[in-house]
Amino acid sequence: MSKSITQKVIEDTPDLLTIGEVADLFKIHRDTLRNWEKAGKLTPLRVGPRQDRKYRKQDIQLLAEEMSSKLTLAQLEQFLWKSADILRGKIDSSDYKKYIFGLLFYKRISDVWDEEYQSVMGEYGDKTLAAADYNHRFQVPKDCSWQVIAETSEGIGQKLNDVFDKITNVNSPKLDKIFDDLDFANKDRFPNETLQRLVNHFSQYNFGSNYISSDLLGDAYEYLIKQFAADAGKKGGEFYTPREVERIIIGIVKPHQKDHIYDPTVGSGGFLLEAYNYLKDKSGEQIARTLYLYGQEINISTFAIAKINMFLHGLDSADIRRGDTLANPQFLTNMGNLQTFDIVVANPPYSIKDWEFELFKSDKYGRTEGYDQPPKKNADYAFVLHILKSMNANGRAGVVLPHGVLFRGGSEGRIREQIIKNDLLEAVIALPSKLFYGTGIPAAILIFNRNKPEHKKGRVLIVDAERDYAEGKNQNTLRKKDIDKIVSSYDKYENVEKYARVVDTDELEENDFNLNIRRYIDSSDEQEVIDVKQVWGEIKQLETERDEIDKKVTGFIKELGYE
């Protein structure tokens, strides 16, 4: 509620209200009021033989303040993480994230719809106008509001499924597939009482724009994604790239106004958000919103996470599509060719063995033109070739890949040679181990550029950043100074002892185009050179001094009569 509406509600409220009337007034569940009473947030009157709750004007005032209170980021993070506790143990930790994210998004769009409705009603007093589609960012039919779910006591799971279907249909194609992977009607997974607790939990706060900004909710959502990734262990790496790694790549490719940015393995959408935040910090929100953001994701749950992530950050125009990027790329021109972009960023799944090799072998998009065919049992270079083909004439790209792409032979070695001879590789950056969830292996960032500046042509910058990090028990992290050092080294594009080296293509050819970092940078600690003759002399001198001291001690003992 806005402040003016809240005041009006209080003024028009009868002296005493029942719990049902208060729940209707604030559009919350009765159990939420009972929970707040248990927590000591309010104490209604108890009247009559049944001790019925009666709420006074001062109780309504307290409730209005509670409902209009603005959560801090820390409070919001804690609140959302507690929602996961309700499901913990009932379903697998790698699965329940999609249900929490789906409910959060549904609560958000329902509360925003109510706000938009009240705003128009406050100005024009016209219910038809207030409910008109053009006055709402998302359409929420009357029988699909959060209040309907909050008042449902039986069959909550099936009701949620029905609501999601209706909301998807009236918002198609905007919300297509967002809720497709959610099934709350499975009573073994979601007993009615569990869903009741979950609904009551989310009913405690208004998630409308007046109370929680897109930035705040988006940041809390990012926190949840990271927490779920840590909780999921190995599976966490499938949808989450550490933000520090994304900051390195975005800091290197440096998005500009109106750039078209594409992530073919978009995951939860972190790279695209990082690009937006980079330009927002540099040039302001208005300029940042000129970016064109694109992404494709094969996993239905992860696709939904990315879409919701964009919506919660207010980036409704981001174009996220579902499908297998290697087998069925979604971004095509009118002529059926691959669409090209100013910037491509990606953290593809590492060394997947089960991929559409035969389809890629006869690729109709020309991704292998001028290159060898990637091996059947490893898709790393298939992703690289897709990325190179997706770069426009001035395109630049940053890709995270396992170290094996730097030195493996066979067809991968020939592809690496062809890329270097085409002068597309601009930099190789070795990262520390244990940065990524689910794997301890170190990864490398490869930077590509279709229009290298003159001073970079025929050269590749190699950076060894493996030793610069903050050590953690399960996960290592990159500090701001580590990120800045890498980006600064790329910007300067010059030699730094034991850290960075600009290598000519001729030298790479002499090494059979092997990009193993150790071939070009010796970052080991220097061994101290020992002068054996000098050390032997020092030992003899010490022995002489020891003999003299022994003689003096023997003399003292004789003088004391202890022979």
Side-chain angles (χ1 to χ4, degrees):
M1 296 181 183
S2 67
K3 187 174 182 181
S4 59
I5 295 173
T6 299
Q7 195 60 44
K8 188 175 185 306
V9 166
I10 295 170
E11 291 170 359
D12 295 343
T13 299
D15 288 338
L16 294 176
L17 290 179
T18 66
I19 187 170
E21 290 170 330
V22 174
D24 290 341
L25 180 65
F26 287 99
K27 298 187 183 303
I28 57 178
H29 196 273
R30 298 181 188 192
D31 285 348
T32 297
L33 292 170
R34 296 185 182 102
N35 291 339
W36 283 346
E37 186 180 335
K38 289 178 184 177
K41 292 181 179 179
L42 74 162
T43 308
L45 290 175
R46 294 288 193 147
V47 299
R50 295 190 310 171
Q51 291 291 287
D52 292 331
R53 294 174 174 81
K54 294 292 182 179
Y55 294 82
R56 301 155 293 184
K57 283 187 181 290
Q58 58 262 43
D59 298 319
I60 302 303
Q61 177 72 51
L62 283 171
L63 284 168
E65 291 173 359
E66 179 69 31
M67 290 296 291
S68 64
S69 64
K70 297 198 174 188
L71 292 167
T72 65
L73 178 58
Q75 289 171 328
L76 184 56
E77 289 173 348
Q78 185 180 33
F79 173 82
L80 293 176
W81 190 239
K82 279 185 178 178
S83 65
D85 290 338
I86 296 173
L87 294 182
R88 204 178 307 278
K90 296 178 176 65
I91 59 176
D92 190 78
S93 63
S94 62
D95 287 335
Y96 58 56
K97 63 182 183 299
K98 63 187 178 186
Y99 294 100
I100 298 300
F101 291 149
L103 277 179
L104 170 62
F105 182 57
Y106 166 45
K107 181 69 161 64
R108 170 70 165 186
I109 63 177
S110 180
D111 287 349
V112 168
W113 193 97
D114 289 341
E115 276 184 354
E116 293 164 341
Y117 181 90
Q118 292 294 342
S119 177
V120 176
M121 281 295 293
E123 188 170 355
Y124 299 103
D126 187 322
K127 292 183 179 180
T128 302
L129 183 64
D133 290 356
Y134 52 78
N135 281 319
H136 298 279
R137 179 181 170 198
F138 297 99
Q139 308 312 315
V140 181
K142 187 176 181 180
D143 61 346
C144 293
S145 71
W146 182 266
Q147 182 64 17
V148 170
I149 293 296
E151 292 174 351
T152 301
S153 56
E154 297 294 333
I156 298 173
Q158 186 58 53
K159 185 67 176 178
L160 279 169
N161 284 3
D162 295 341
V163 165
F164 290 160
D165 285 343
K166 289 182 181 179
I167 288 179
T168 299
N169 289 335
V170 298
N171 288 280
S172 184
K174 197 173 185 179
L175 296 185
D176 285 358
K177 299 183 177 69
I178 289 286
F179 301 112
D180 280 11
D181 200 34
L182 304 184
D183 181 12
F184 282 99
N186 185 326
K187 292 184 178 180
D188 290 330
R189 277 188 157 197
F190 300 106
N192 205 67
E193 58 271 20
T194 298
L195 290 179
Q196 187 74 75
R197 286 181 61 203
L198 204 55
V199 170
N200 289 346
H201 182 75
F202 274 102
S203 295
Q204 291 182 56
Y205 292 102
N206 190 316
F207 280 77
S209 299
N210 290 338
Y211 309 112
I212 301 174
S213 69
S214 290
D215 286 341
L216 187 68
L217 190 57
D219 288 346
Y221 186 80
E222 286 281 288
Y223 162 83
L224 267 188
I225 291 173
K226 182 176 180 180
Q227 292 298 103
F228 279 128
D231 212 35
K234 185 175 182 179
K235 289 185 178 180
E238 295 176 5
F239 62 88
Y240 181 79
T241 301
R243 295 298 173 254
E244 313 95 88
V245 175
E246 293 170 342
R247 288 188 190 110
I248 292 171
I249 291 178
I250 295 301
I252 286 174
V253 297
K254 297 177 175 51
H256 300 118
Q257 184 175 2
K258 296 184 178 180
D259 270 349
H260 291 249
I261 305 175
Y262 167 56
D263 186 342
T265 56
V266 74
S268 59
F271 269 119
L272 302 183
L273 280 177
E274 195 57 45
Y276 168 77
N277 289 330
Y278 171 90
L279 197 54
K280 181 181 176 182
D281 291 342
K282 182 181 177 184
S283 306
E285 183 176 355
Q286 188 174 355
I287 298 297
R289 289 194 178 277
T290 68
L291 291 174
Y292 297 87
L293 306 176
Y294 309 83
Q296 182 166 340
E297 174 56 43
I298 190 172
N299 182 283
I300 182 67
S301 296
T302 308
F303 161 82
I305 292 172
K307 287 281 285 186
I308 293 173
N309 207 1
M310 296 299 115
F311 286 135
L312 293 183
H313 281 87
L315 300 174
D316 293 16
S317 62
D319 190 349
I320 311 297
R321 302 183 188 180
R322 184 178 174 238
D324 185 335
T325 294
L326 298 182
N328 186 24
Q330 295 292 300
F331 294 97
L332 306 174
T333 66
N334 292 333
M335 300 295 291
N337 299 317
L338 286 186
Q339 189 174 337
T340 59
F341 305 88
D342 301 296
I343 294 173
V344 184
V345 287
N347 178 22
Y350 295 166
S351 306
I352 55 176
K353 294 178 171 56
D354 185 14
W355 65 289
E356 296 292 346
F357 171 79
E358 293 298 335
L359 200 60
F360 200 85
K361 191 175 180 180
S362 54
D363 185 46
K364 62 182 179 180
Y365 304 109
R367 289 175 285 190
T368 56
E369 288 179 7
Y371 295 96
D372 272 43
Q373 174 71 19
K376 186 174 183 178
K377 294 296 184 181
N378 195 312
D380 288 341
Y381 269 100
F383 283 109
V384 171
L385 293 180
H386 175 84
I387 287 164
L388 293 179
K389 192 69 176 179
S390 300
M391 296 161 60
N392 64 25
N394 294 306
R396 49 209 189 276
V399 192
V400 186
L401 291 162
H403 269 225
V405 301
L406 304 179
F407 52 78
R408 288 196 297 254
S411 61
E412 291 182 301
R414 291 190 293 274
I415 295 172
R416 189 169 58 246
E417 175 182 344
Q418 291 151 0
I419 292 171
I420 293 170
K421 284 184 174 178
N422 288 336
D423 208 10
L424 296 175
L425 184 62
E426 194 171 61
V428 177
I429 301 159
L431 297 173
S433 61
K434 292 176 65 176
L435 289 181
F436 299 85
Y437 290 110
T439 178
I441 65 170
I445 295 172
L446 274 63
I447 303 297
F448 301 104
N449 194 338
R450 279 205 177 274
N451 188 18
K452 291 168 80 169
E454 198 62 39
H455 72 285
K456 296 183 181 180
K457 289 182 178 177
R459 312 169 88 195
V460 175
L461 174 71
I462 296 179
V463 178
D464 183 2
E466 291 186 5
R467 302 199 298 177
D468 296 332
Y469 61 91
E471 188 172 1
K473 184 178 180 181
N474 299 316
Q475 210 77 27
N476 295 330
T477 56
L478 294 171
R479 301 157 296 191
K480 184 179 183 301
K481 66 178 182 179
D482 304 324
I483 298 169
D484 291 345
K485 185 178 179 181
I486 293 171
V487 175
S488 175
S489 295
Y490 168 82
D491 290 342
K492 293 175 181 176
Y493 214 79
E494 58 188 28
N495 296 338
V496 178
E497 187 176 1
K498 293 188 176 297
Y499 186 76
R501 185 166 168 239
V502 179
V503 183
D504 291 334
T505 302
D506 291 343
E507 184 177 348
L508 296 177
E509 186 169 6
E510 290 172 6
N511 282 293
D512 296 323
F513 299 97
N514 186 317
L515 295 173
N516 192 322
I517 304 298
R518 297 290 174 264
R519 286 180 178 247
Y520 306 98
I521 299 176
D522 179 10
S523 58
S524 60
D525 294 328
E526 288 186 5
Q527 297 294 322
E528 183 181 355
V529 178
I530 299 174
D531 186 332
V532 177
K533 186 176 180 180
Q534 180 182 342
V535 172
W536 181 248
E538 290 173 353
I539 291 173
K540 299 301 288 183
Q541 178 64 32
L542 289 172
E543 288 178 344
T544 301
E545 291 175 357
R546 185 191 63 190
D547 291 342
E548 291 177 355
I549 292 171
D550 285 346
K551 289 178 181 178
K552 287 182 179 180
V553 170
T554 300
F556 292 148
I557 290 173
K558 285 182 178 180
E559 290 177 5
L560 292 171
Y562 291 105
E563 286 190 81

